[in-house]
Amino acid sequence: MNNLSNSMMTKAALGAASIAAVLVLAGCASPPNSDRTELREAGDGFPALAGNWYDGGKFVEPDSVLRIAEGQSKDQVRQLIGNPHYAEGFFGVREWNYVFNLYTGNGNEYITCQYQVHYDDEMALESTRWRDAQCPALLVPIEVEEIAAEPREEKLTLSGDVLFDFDSDQLSLEGRRALERVSDMVLDAYSSPSVLVVGYTDRFGEEQYNLSLSQSRAEAVGSYLVSQGIERRNLTLLGRGEADPIVDCPGQVATPSVKECLRPNRRVEMTLQ
C-alpha cells in the first residue's frame, strides 16, 4: 500500500517537481528543455512529433487549454488554442493534433506534450486526449497536506477555477481528469477510504448563492468520484461558501486583480482517512 505523503513537503503542489513522486503515470513526455535529438514516433493514435509545423512545440497559455469544453465549434477551438499543428485540414476533419510546451513550474523548464481534439458528426468538440498523463497534471495541480501520520489523514486541495467553468457546477474536461488522478491515488493508498469533500467560494456574490454553489460543486465532485470507483457511503459532501478563507485581499469591487488575489479561496478540499 503506497503512502501519498512519503517524501512530500506539506502542501507540495503536484504537477511540478513532485509529479513523479506521487502519481502513478504511464508514458513519458519529452524531458524538460530537451533538444529532442530523437523525436518520438507515432503511437497510441498520435502522429510522430516530426510531422508538426512547430520545431520544438508551441508554448500555450494554460488557461486557454482549460477553457476547452465539449460542444465547442472548430472556430471556437481555434480562437482558444489556434490551428492544429499538423496538415490535417479544417473542413470535414474530425481530429486535430497539437504539440504544446508546458512549463513545469521549475524555472524555465518545460515539457513537450501532444494534445488531440476529437469532433463529432456535427463537427462539435466531443473529447480530448493527452499522449502523456503528466501533461494534464501540470494544468490542474493537486496540493497534498499531511494532517496526521497515525491513523493517516491527508487533505487534497484543488482549485475551483480549473475544476469548474465560471459560475457553474459542471466539471471541466481537465477537472474530470484531475479527479480521475485523485481517485487512483485514493484507491491505491486506502483500503476503505473515508472522504470529506468541501466546496468553497470567494467573498463576492450573495452569501446564500455562494453557499448553494459550493454545495453543488461538492456534490459534482462526489458524483464523479463515485463514477471512478469510490463508494458513495464513504463520502461526505459539504458546501461552506465563503467560510474559512485562505487569503484576505483588499478591495470591495471584483476587479480582475482582486479576483486573482482571491483565487486560493475558490477551492475544493478533500480530507482522506
Side-chain angles (χ1 to χ4, degrees):
M1 187 176 297
N2 296 331
N3 189 327
L4 298 181
S5 297
N6 286 351
S7 73
M8 254 184 224
M9 296 294 290
T10 298
K11 290 189 176 181
L14 306 189
S18 52
I19 291 176
V22 183
L23 298 178
V24 180
L25 302 178
C28 179
S30 299
N33 294 8
S34 170
D35 60 5
R36 305 211 329 270
T37 55
E38 294 183 5
L39 295 177
R40 298 183 73 185
E41 298 298 326
D44 194 26
F46 286 85
L49 274 176
N52 86 92
W53 294 346
Y54 297 95
D55 184 20
K58 184 177 182 180
F59 289 93
V60 64
E61 287 292 334
D63 283 350
S64 296
V65 182
L66 290 170
R67 291 190 180 99
I68 294 293
E70 293 102 328
Q72 290 174 339
S73 68
K74 287 185 172 181
D75 194 50
Q76 289 173 321
V77 172
R78 285 200 308 168
Q79 291 176 42
L80 286 171
I81 59 177
N83 289 317
H85 297 171
Y86 293 79
E88 297 171 318
F90 183 75
F91 298 104
V93 178
R94 295 181 57 174
E95 177 183 301
W96 282 359
N97 283 276
Y98 294 83
V99 180
F100 292 137
N101 291 325
L102 298 176
Y103 286 106
T104 65
N106 184 22
N108 290 323
E109 287 188 354
Y110 62 87
I111 60 175
T112 300
C113 301
Q114 289 183 257
Y115 182 70
Q116 195 171 86
V117 179
H118 294 269
Y119 298 94
D120 62 20
D121 292 339
E122 303 300 322
M123 295 302 148
L125 191 147
E126 185 174 49
S127 63
T128 65
R129 295 177 63 212
W130 292 94
R131 188 169 186 175
D132 301 287
Q134 59 264 59
C135 297
L138 288 173
L139 292 177
V140 189
I142 305 168
E143 293 183 355
V144 179
E145 177 183 2
E146 181 178 2
I147 299 174
E150 288 295 336
R152 188 171 68 222
E153 184 176 1
E154 293 163 316
K155 182 170 71 175
L156 278 58
T157 303
L158 296 90
S159 169
D161 286 8
V162 294
L163 282 180
F164 298 96
D165 294 330
F166 176 74
D167 197 27
S168 170
D169 60 4
Q170 300 298 307
L171 286 162
S172 67
L173 276 171
E174 298 302 333
R176 294 198 294 271
R177 287 194 175 104
L179 293 180
E180 289 162 11
R181 290 157 48 210
V182 167
S183 300
D184 288 343
M185 293 158 57
V186 171
L187 294 173
D188 185 56
Y190 293 82
S191 58
S192 182
S194 173
V195 184
L196 169 64
V197 180
V198 184
Y200 293 94
T201 68
D202 64 24
R203 56 182 168 80
F204 288 112
E206 293 292 332
E207 182 178 356
Q208 188 57 45
Y209 178 83
N210 286 340
L211 190 63
S212 177
L213 178 62
S214 65
Q215 180 67 41
S216 296
R217 288 183 165 186
E219 291 173 0
V221 169
S223 295
Y224 202 75
L225 293 177
V226 169
S227 75
Q228 298 302 302
I230 295 178
E231 295 190 32
R232 179 61 183 85
R233 61 187 174 87
N234 291 337
L235 293 174
T236 302
L237 311 174
L238 297 176
R240 299 291 309 281
E242 307 167 19
D244 306 324
I246 294 175
V247 295
D248 183 16
C249 304
Q252 299 304 311
V253 179
T255 62
S257 61
V258 175
K259 288 193 291 186
E260 179 62 28
C261 178
L262 291 170
R263 179 189 289 260
N265 294 346
R266 303 186 295 269
R267 68 197 189 276
V268 173
E269 294 181 351
M270 284 171 271
T271 302
L272 315 176
Q273 293 180 323

